[in-house]
Amino acid sequence: MSRRIALTVAACVAAGTSLIAAPAHASVRDASPQASAPASAPAAAAAAGSDRVKCTSMSNGQLCISLNTSPSRIEVFYTKKAGSTIQARLGFRTNSADWGPWKTISTGERANTTWNMSYPCNKKYVGLLQANGQTFETPPAGPTC
């Protein structure tokens, strides 16, 4: 690991934040146009972009789906913030579910699965996490076309 990366990680740990490689328009929670003050042009553009990223907070972490471009791909990621280590798999659903491999996820870790594919504009995509016989979902995300 380079010195620059090590110093960045150390600074984030000291500040109590984490390094999550999510798109710039991703938010910690599901952004909605009704939130806070009146929207200016940049805020309206950010709200429109938020349809590509949807997250849901869970008792032990956060599950997100991100519809990315350049290259076109779907990424589902889970950040585990508390609790014991789990065996889980990430997936997404349109009409039927597509699952990634099973992974061991410990507290403080971020697991992700990526599908490199194009996705049509007229569909909604739901991020999935399956663990301990339960399936958890994100709100539906849709590309803005």
Side-chain angles (χ1 to χ4, degrees), residues 125-145:
Y125 299 83
V126 174
L128 304 170
L129 169 74
Q130 190 175 61
N132 300 326
Q134 295 181 312
T135 302
F136 303 91
E137 301 183 347
T138 65
T144 50
C145 301

Side-chain angles (χ1 to χ4, degrees), residues 86-90 99-105 113 129-135:
I86 60 170
Q87 288 286 330
R89 63 181 179 166
L90 300 169
W99 295 99
W102 288 94
K103 301 176 181 214
T104 301
I105 309 169
T113 302
L129 169 74
Q130 190 175 61
N132 300 326
Q134 295 181 312
T135 302

